[in-house]
């Protein structure tokens, strides 16, 4: 059985690993959705979830009725995986083609945020995803808070990995007659769409305006491209 230390070591393409904590934070902060995985009753379980990193922990939330979430909240080991696709890398053959990406895996045991802290934690989670939104809407009701399970995954040294590829294709066959390069992939926040029941004269709030630019800047890391030749 692999130890935690073994799991935190990248052996395949180790040159792509990032071992500094700042590299982990950058990947986690760029994404909004990760896949939380564990084992429930001997069966694999994985679900995509919105999350936000706040200091040394990752906050997530879901319904108190979700049995698998209660399972991990009770201390079952879990893993959160995050991937950002930055580009499709085309070599002059299929074998050497690849992708530019940023990925992170955080392992550990989740803890439940108790009722006394849940309201503040959920507000922090919301404002990390949509800065300033909590000030534009009403507070959560006691009934809503009671129906929400707020959990945190601590970020512990030795229990995470980061892997990044940000490069042109390898030379492959070095065939000058076959195009090779990178097709960058960018996340684009489009024009916000007003809900049908909202009056036409209600202005777009600052949080929505900010979200379009701030989120794109955070998500879209630099991707090196190869010029046509």
């Amino acid at each position: 059985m692999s130890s935690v230390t073994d799991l935190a070591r990248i052996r395949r393409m180790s040159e792509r690993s990032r071992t500094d904590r700042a590299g982990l934070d950058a990947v986690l902060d760029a994404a909004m959705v990760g896949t939380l995985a564990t084992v429930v009753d001997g069966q694999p379980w994985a679900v995509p979830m919105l999350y936000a990193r706040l200091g040394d922990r990752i906050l997530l939330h879901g319904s108190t009725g979700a049995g698998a979430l209660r399972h991990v909240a009770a201390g079952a080991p879990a893993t959160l995986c995050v991937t950002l696709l930055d580009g499709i890398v085309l070599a002059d053959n299929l074998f050497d083609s690849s992708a530019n990406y940023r990925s992170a895996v955080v392992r550990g045991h989740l803890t439940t945020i108790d009722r006394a802290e849940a309201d503040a934690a959920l507000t922090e989670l919301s404002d990390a995803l949509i800065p300033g939104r909590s000030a534009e809407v009403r507070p959560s009701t006691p009934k809503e808070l009671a129906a929400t399970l707020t959990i945190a995954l601590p970020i512990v040294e030795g229990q995470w990995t980061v892997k990044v590829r940000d490069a042109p294709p390898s030379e492959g066959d070095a065939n000058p007659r076959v195009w090779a390069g990178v097709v960058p992939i960018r996340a684009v926040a489009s024009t916000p769409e007003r809900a049908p029941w909202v009056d036409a004269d209600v202005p777009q709030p600052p949080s929505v305006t900010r979200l379009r630019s701030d989120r794109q800047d955070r998500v879209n890391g630099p991707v090196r491209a190869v010029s046509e030749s």
Side-chain angles (χ1 to χ4, degrees), residues 12-223:
R12 174 71 176 156
M13 301 290 187
S14 60
E15 70 278 6
R16 297 180 186 174
S17 67
R18 302 289 186 271
T19 58
D20 58 303
R21 174 59 192 274
L24 171 68
D25 291 351
V27 174
L28 292 176
D29 294 350
M32 300 175 74
V33 176
T35 299
L36 184 67
T38 188
V39 175
V40 180
D41 297 329
Q43 297 296 319
W45 176 89
V47 64
M49 299 184 68
L50 286 167
Y51 75 88
R53 181 192 68 86
L54 295 169
D56 290 330
R57 63 182 184 174
I58 300 168
L59 289 184
L60 308 101
H61 76 293
S63 170
T64 54
L69 281 186
R70 293 200 305 271
H71 183 70
V72 295
T79 298
L80 182 74
C81 303
V82 174
T83 304
L84 295 142
L85 179 63
D86 293 323
I88 302 299
V89 179
L90 297 94
D92 59 9
N93 63 75
L94 298 182
F95 180 81
D96 290 305
S97 295
S98 185
N100 281 343
Y101 62 89
R102 290 162 284 163
S103 66
V105 177
V106 182
R107 301 176 178 86
H109 299 267
L110 289 102
T111 59
T112 303
I113 306 297
D114 62 34
R115 292 281 181 87
E117 295 182 65
D119 191 7
L122 287 170
T123 298
E124 285 186 288
L125 173 59
S126 174
D127 281 344
L129 295 169
I130 314 169
R133 184 58 174 168
S134 65
E136 299 169 350
V137 296
R138 66 164 176 78
S140 298
T141 66
K143 183 178 179 180
E144 290 168 342
L145 292 172
T148 304
L149 178 63
T150 309
I151 51 181
L153 177 60
I155 300 173
V156 179
E157 190 62 36
Q159 295 192 32
W160 53 265
T161 57
V162 174
K163 203 170 182 180
V164 176
R165 188 190 194 282
D166 179 18
S170 62
E171 287 191 2
D173 299 329
N175 186 343
R177 301 303 302 163
V178 177
W179 192 93
V182 175
V183 179
I185 304 295
R186 291 286 188 263
V188 177
S190 298
T191 303
E193 299 175 358
R194 184 187 305 270
W197 59 84
V198 176
D199 292 339
D201 61 349
V202 175
Q204 181 174 290
S207 69
V208 176
T209 303
R210 262 196 317 271
L211 182 63
R212 293 190 66 191
S213 58
D214 291 355
R215 180 49 58 175
Q216 280 183 210
D217 291 344
R218 188 184 294 187
V219 171
N220 294 322
V223 177

